[in-house]
Amino acid sequence: MADWAHLIGYISGSVLGRLLKHPRAADFNIVALVRSREKAMIIRSKFRVNAVVGTLDEHDKLTGLAERADIVFSVVRARTPQSADNSLIIVRGID
């Protein structure tokens, strides 16, 4: 497992790992939503990724991040009605 996978989850870590290995990764402005300041600090310093501390319950934050994004990867578990709500919040921000 890659170093970042334990910080942001297995699937999120896999997506991030692929993005960071891209030949033009230095041109990307990658933003990751994480749950703690500690994880954010490690991700920022070790992987040069803009880490934003927050939760999926912060709808305004999700919408704002999506508004500024060209591409959004949402890799949360789809087990709860909240997951569907969060997807709609992100789409609202992209739209």
Side-chain angles (χ1 to χ4, degrees):
M1 183 181 318
D3 288 344
W4 55 82
H6 75 280
L7 293 169
I8 60 173
Y10 181 77
I11 295 173
S12 300
S14 297
V15 172
L16 179 58
R18 293 293 301 258
L19 289 170
L20 293 173
K21 288 179 184 176
H22 190 279
R24 293 185 51 207
D27 296 334
F28 298 163
N29 180 23
I30 300 172
V31 178
L33 181 69
V34 297
R35 294 186 193 128
S36 74
R37 282 178 97 189
E38 294 78 21
K39 288 181 180 182
M41 290 171 50
I42 294 168
I43 290 169
R44 286 180 192 131
S45 65
K46 193 168 186 178
F47 304 110
R48 292 177 287 132
V49 169
N50 296 318
V52 175
V53 179
T55 69
L56 297 176
D57 294 326
E58 296 178 78
H59 298 169
D60 290 340
K61 185 177 282 187
L62 288 175
T63 302
L65 291 169
E67 284 173 349
R68 294 185 294 277
D70 292 319
I71 299 171
V72 174
F73 294 97
S74 177
V75 292
V76 298
R77 291 186 201 176
R79 293 185 183 176
T80 66
Q82 179 190 19
S83 300
D85 291 343
N86 290 335
S87 296
L88 293 173
I89 291 163
I90 291 168
V91 168
R92 190 177 314 135
I94 294 171
D95 193 22

